[in-house]
Amino acid sequence: NRTRRVLAMNAIQDRFANTAVAALHRAVEGAKNPHQWIHAMWLLRRFDALTADELKTAAFATDQTVARVHAQRIAADLFGQNRLRGKGAEINLLPAALEVAERGIKDPDALVRRCAAEALALAPGTDTAHVSALLAALASAPAADNHLIYALRGALRDRLQDPRVFEKVLAGKWSESEARALAAIAPSSTNAFAASFLVAHLQKYSESRSTAAKYLKHAARFLPENRIDDLATLARDKFRDDVDLQSALFKSVQDGLAQRGVALSPRTKTWGTALANDLLASVRRTESGWTSLPVESNPASANPWAVQNRKSSDGRDADFLCTLPAGETLTGVLRSKNFTAPAKLTFWMAGHDGSPGKPLQKKNFVGLRDAETSDVLMTAPAPRNDVAKSTTWDLSAHAGQQVFLELVDGDTAGAYAWLAVGRFEPAVVALPKTTPKLIDERLTGAAQIALATRDTSLEAPLTAALKIPAGVEARGSVAATLLALNTKQHLPAVGEIMNDASAPDALRQRLAQAIAESNTDDGRALVVSALQRTPERAQPKFALALSGTKLGAESLLKEVEAGRVSARLLQNQALKEKLVASKADNVKARLTKLTANLTPLNEQLQKLIDQRAKAFGSAKASAANGVAIFEKNCAVCHQLDGKGALVGPQLDGVGARGTERIMEDVIDPNRNVDGAFRSTLFELKDGETASGLFRREEGELLIYADTAGKEHSLARKDIKERRQSELSLMPEGLAEAMTAAEFNDLVAFLITKKAEKK
């Protein structure tokens, strides 16, 4: 019984102390079983009385694995104590302990090797012999033994944390396999030698895009400042023919420098400008008859559309527009340019619209719309097959009309949630030569680079790019960069798109944010004008953008005071908090006056909760339908049954809250806010404010997530004040965005999710 054996050890130590040493030596020499042997050895170790011969005898006992394991653990204990206490009584045992650990790393037993790795991680000395031994053990470790691999990698990490060791590693000669193993560990070492090793490694060997980006980001953070230009030269020369990889690498270098609070060097800026021009040129060369739009229920989703070669049921392979390569949880709409409707249109489709055996969700489909009225003329659901099937529409009733196609993937599920469309006959619209997702990424990358370099020579190509039919985030990034470079010159063009009622709401709101951040009188006037013409359901987004500065908040308050904007807007708690933070003149008194005669929001919400609770009892709610409602409205931030994002609270067991509490949480998210999910308000030194859920710190950067789960960063030096809000990150008005039937279905679904009994 291990507990009893340990109690006996403690009793010997407490009652007899050093007088037991002689008896313990005899016990080690004449031990009748491994337990007696190892407990006697550990007691001798406690008394600093263990001899080198006793340690080595245990370590080299070929027929006693337990003894060999504990010999390694005693060696690790010796090395650890030596580090803590310096040279002490056990110093005479260190040579023997080193011999034990060095032989143990080659032991036939995996557990002994693991314990030897832990010992070598602590062993004294700064030469590379132990690094070499650990690398050899790692190379020979069975791929299935993840415990051993983890221990060996951890030991390498610990040894390489010492800059003196990594300095010698940097000067050493290593095989390719050893170099790759060392490079994989290097990002855990926060010293300049590790950063230099990664640069040298990338100069010599090829790595995947994600790995190269990871290494360069780490190098940018810890490389000596006088060597930063080496990164720019490396990335530009080694990856000259891959603008997409260069873009990822530039972002990694930029992030690494930002985390250490260092500006871009002149050579890095030169690289950035050339790269941005290359990215924009590649987009200009791409003629696409398709425009990427977000699904209304998931506006923050990245563009999922790619060009992918797929098989058809007639045996032919062809390129399709497909959302599968980007991952099935992403959603998006792809709209074609207008064309004249033929009498008959055939196309091929693959993909799914929910799990097999369940009814179609009507989330993934192809639609044909009238170009003038946007009326839906025809639809075809996903065929629920990985192999493309043909669909033929009889369009004789619409022949000659101007129409456009919409490819819709609106399913956020992680499986059976993708769509592929292609092979249009007649070829009313061609497939793009470049993946739409890649066009968005290149535009966004070019805009971010231009913003970082502040090179005005990029304004002309960016202005042309603003008109490219790309995704919301891509066009929003281009607009924000143009306004940052020259607000006066580019404000009219950006404002024209924002005021276009036919533009997607998500794009208009993104541009409103960019215009408001430009902090000019003309810009504020444009946002106010757009706000006045925007439906009430969408007004809070424009108002929140406007209230990010003191002058913007003043503009909004004056519009409400003049009666041109409804005062009900001011009952939005997130907006109210942002207005107060703006430090507008007498803001609290003005808010009180403007909302004095309105029904208090909490009363309105309680009335709505009561109405919905009363109606729910007699409603024919469908928990099955509620699954789709949850995925559409909630999964972007909440995880349930392993699906969805972990921005807000995880909702397994939410049904235990009961009907009324669930309704409260959906209708009035600010009523019961978990402290861990309260948003944080950041007041910036330039007078602007930002808010979101604080996630982590990365050097000189603070990372926070917005209501859509997207992460943003702020430089610590730019923050004037940071405080936790009383508000939830969950947006208000979610319940009002659903029909009563959808709301009831959602509640019915959530109620079923009670904690499993154990």
Side-chain angles (χ1 to χ4, degrees):
N1 183 297
R2 183 178 182 276
T3 300
R4 219 170 251 211
R5 296 199 307 270
V6 172
L7 287 172
M9 284 179 66
N10 295 339
I12 291 172
Q13 182 176 10
D14 294 340
R15 293 171 60 188
F16 302 104
N18 289 332
T19 61
V21 167
L24 289 169
H25 283 307
R26 291 194 298 273
V28 167
E29 185 176 355
K32 296 182 175 60
N33 60 66
H35 295 312
Q36 184 179 9
W37 190 358
I38 62 176
H39 282 288
M41 286 180 60
W42 274 109
L43 271 170
L44 287 169
R45 169 73 193 102
R46 290 187 189 183
F47 297 139
D48 288 335
L50 186 67
T51 67
D53 287 340
E54 287 170 332
L55 179 62
K56 289 195 285 187
T57 298
F60 308 148
T62 56
D63 59 340
Q64 293 290 347
T65 302
V66 173
R68 300 203 309 276
V69 165
H70 281 271
Q72 299 300 331
R73 289 175 174 165
I74 289 174
D77 184 62
L78 280 162
F79 297 148
Q81 287 299 314
N82 184 64
R83 282 189 175 190
L84 290 172
R85 293 158 53 185
K87 294 181 179 180
E90 70 274 10
I91 190 66
N92 294 330
L93 265 183
L94 289 180
L98 281 170
E99 183 182 352
V100 163
E102 289 164 358
R103 287 185 59 172
I105 201 65
K106 302 174 184 177
D107 195 278
D109 184 81
L111 180 56
V112 176
R113 294 201 300 277
R114 277 167 51 192
C115 294
E118 293 166 1
L120 286 179
L122 298 169
T126 60
D127 59 44
T128 60
H130 294 152
V131 173
S132 297
L134 290 166
L135 286 171
L138 183 61
S140 63
D145 193 344
N146 51 16
H147 289 73
L148 175 58
I149 291 171
Y150 179 85
L152 291 166
R153 285 173 53 84
L156 280 165
R157 174 204 61 205
D158 292 346
R159 290 213 68 78
L160 295 175
Q161 287 290 0
D162 188 334
R164 297 171 298 174
V165 175
F166 223 134
E167 183 179 14
K168 293 177 180 177
V169 167
L170 181 62
K173 293 182 179 181
W174 306 96
S175 68
E176 181 177 348
S177 61
E178 289 174 330
R180 291 188 183 279
L182 288 167
I185 303 294
S188 65
S189 298
T190 55
N191 60 64
F193 300 111
S196 297
F197 183 90
L198 288 172
V199 172
H201 177 78
L202 289 173
Q203 288 171 332
K204 189 173 183 180
Y205 300 111
S206 295
E207 293 285 1
S208 69
R209 176 180 301 185
S210 59
T211 300
K214 174 185 175 182
Y215 290 175
L216 276 186
K217 181 176 180 178
H218 188 77
R221 185 170 180 185
F222 296 103
L223 201 66
E225 287 188 38
N226 61 2
R227 291 202 57 205
I228 293 299
D229 284 342
D230 292 349
L231 296 178
T233 302
L234 167 64
R236 189 171 182 180
D237 293 347
K238 190 173 181 66
F239 308 108
R240 185 176 298 277
D241 297 328
D242 191 340
V243 293
D244 300 306
L245 177 54
Q246 280 198 66
S247 182
L249 296 179
F250 185 91
K251 183 68 167 58
S252 295
V253 172
Q254 182 186 352
D255 288 347
L257 294 175
Q259 288 172 4
R260 67 195 289 183
V262 175
L264 296 177
S265 68
R267 194 185 302 177
T268 306
K269 287 184 178 181
T270 301
W271 168 41
T273 297
L275 175 56
N277 274 313
D278 290 344
L279 289 166
L280 293 170
S282 70
V283 172
R284 287 196 300 271
R285 290 192 297 269
T286 301
E287 293 185 9
S288 176
W290 300 86
T291 301
S292 172
L293 303 169
V295 174
E296 185 177 348
S297 61
N298 193 16
S301 177
N303 183 349
W305 294 98
V307 176
Q308 184 187 50
N309 191 268
R310 299 196 62 85
K311 292 186 179 298
S312 300
S313 60
D314 62 355
R316 178 180 165 188
D317 290 356
D319 285 342
F320 283 72
L321 286 163
C322 183
T323 59
L324 182 60
E328 297 185 63
T329 58
L330 295 183
T331 61
V333 176
L334 207 57
R335 179 179 293 173
S336 77
K337 65 181 181 181
N338 295 346
F339 59 90
T340 302
K344 184 174 74 171
L345 178 63
T346 298
F347 56 92
W348 293 69
M349 301 173 64
H352 298 269
D353 187 28
S355 300
K358 293 187 177 180
L360 284 170
Q361 302 179 101
K362 299 181 181 179
K363 291 182 177 181
N364 295 357
F365 58 89
V366 176
L368 183 74
R369 290 179 178 266
D370 184 282
E372 184 175 345
T373 65
S374 289
D375 290 342
V376 177
L377 305 178
M378 303 289 288
T379 60
R384 308 190 114 168
N385 203 304
D386 291 354
V387 177
K389 308 289 184 182
S390 66
T391 297
T392 299
W393 283 337
D394 179 0
L395 300 180
S396 55
H398 309 291
Q401 288 180 230
Q402 286 295 296
V403 295
F404 63 86
L405 286 162
E406 271 193 346
L407 318 185
V408 180
D409 179 343
D411 193 349
T412 59
Y416 300 104
W418 58 276
L419 185 68
V421 187
R423 296 181 61 186
F424 296 99
E425 302 169 15
V428 291
V429 60
L431 263 64
K433 295 178 182 178
T434 303
T435 287
K437 183 178 187 294
L438 194 56
I439 293 174
D440 278 14
E441 290 174 353
R442 289 178 178 178
L443 279 177
T444 302
Q448 291 174 343
I449 291 169
L451 188 61
T453 62
R454 313 293 293 194
D455 192 325
T456 56
S457 69
L458 292 169
E459 288 183 52
L462 283 171
T463 301
L466 185 61
K467 301 174 183 177
I468 292 174
V472 168
E473 183 57 35
R475 297 180 72 187
S477 295
V478 171
T481 295
L482 286 170
L483 292 173
L485 294 176
N486 192 329
T487 303
K488 184 176 181 180
Q489 180 176 340
H490 302 296
L491 187 59
V494 178
E496 182 180 351
I497 300 173
M498 181 191 66
N499 280 313
D500 182 1
S502 65
D505 285 345
L507 176 61
R508 297 181 65 225
Q509 292 161 7
R510 177 72 172 83
L511 297 184
Q513 182 69 43
I515 292 172
E517 288 173 354
S518 69
N519 204 17
T520 63
D521 291 339
D522 291 343
R524 285 186 287 274
L526 277 173
V527 178
V528 166
S529 175
L531 173 63
Q532 292 170 345
R533 295 195 298 273
T534 298
E536 187 171 342
R537 63 174 176 77
Q539 284 185 346
K541 296 283 188 179
F542 287 84
L544 283 165
L546 197 60
S547 61
T549 63
K550 180 177 180 180
L551 292 175
E554 285 286 353
S555 298
L556 177 60
L557 290 169
K558 287 177 181 177
E559 291 301 308
V560 176
E561 289 166 340
R564 292 186 288 269
V565 173
S566 172
R568 287 196 299 273
L569 187 63
L570 303 179
Q571 291 182 301
N572 181 289
Q573 292 300 309
L575 176 60
K576 184 177 179 180
E577 185 175 78
K578 206 166 184 182
L579 287 169
V580 171
S582 73
K583 305 291 196 300
D585 295 338
N586 300 316
V587 60
K588 291 184 179 180
R590 293 163 76 182
L591 287 170
T592 301
K593 181 179 178 181
L594 289 167
T595 58
N597 296 322
L598 301 177
T599 303
L601 184 61
N602 56 353
E603 291 183 21
Q604 296 177 34
L605 294 175
Q606 187 58 52
K607 184 177 180 181
L608 179 59
I609 292 169
D610 293 341
Q611 290 173 344
R612 293 285 177 93
K614 184 177 180 181
F616 183 76
S618 58
K620 295 182 179 179
S622 168
N625 292 341
V627 177
I629 306 302
F630 178 85
E631 291 174 352
K632 174 182 176 181
N633 295 281
C634 314
V636 69
C637 285
H638 295 284
Q639 188 177 95
L640 181 58
D641 294 339
K643 298 178 181 178
L646 280 172
V647 178
Q650 199 254 23
L651 295 183
D652 286 345
V654 68
R657 300 182 187 181
T659 303
E660 186 173 352
R661 173 57 191 273
I662 288 175
M663 289 185 172
E664 281 184 6
D665 291 342
V666 176
I667 296 173
D668 189 3
N670 296 316
R671 181 174 297 192
N672 306 291
V673 187
D674 187 322
F677 296 98
R678 288 178 177 163
S679 61
T680 297
L681 189 70
F682 301 95
E683 288 188 36
L684 307 182
K685 293 178 181 177
D686 62 4
E688 295 190 14
T689 59
S691 62
L693 181 66
F694 174 73
R695 301 301 291 266
R696 62 188 179 278
E697 296 183 9
E698 292 183 354
E700 294 302 311
L701 299 180
L702 269 64
I703 312 299
Y704 70 95
D706 61 21
T707 55
K710 183 179 179 181
E711 291 191 347
H712 305 270
S713 63
L714 293 171
R716 193 190 301 273
K717 62 182 177 60
D718 295 335
I719 300 172
K720 179 181 178 182
E721 185 180 349
R722 164 186 165 190
R723 62 178 181 272
Q724 191 176 56
S725 166
E726 294 300 314
L727 303 182
S728 167
L729 185 68
M730 182 171 165
E732 299 173 59
L734 182 61
E736 289 87 335
M738 308 178 201
T739 65
E742 289 175 333
F743 178 82
N744 288 334
D745 290 345
L746 174 63
V747 174
F749 166 64
L750 294 176
I751 287 173
T752 67
K753 296 300 174 179
K754 294 182 170 62
E756 295 182 4
K757 293 182 179 180
K758 296 183 179 179

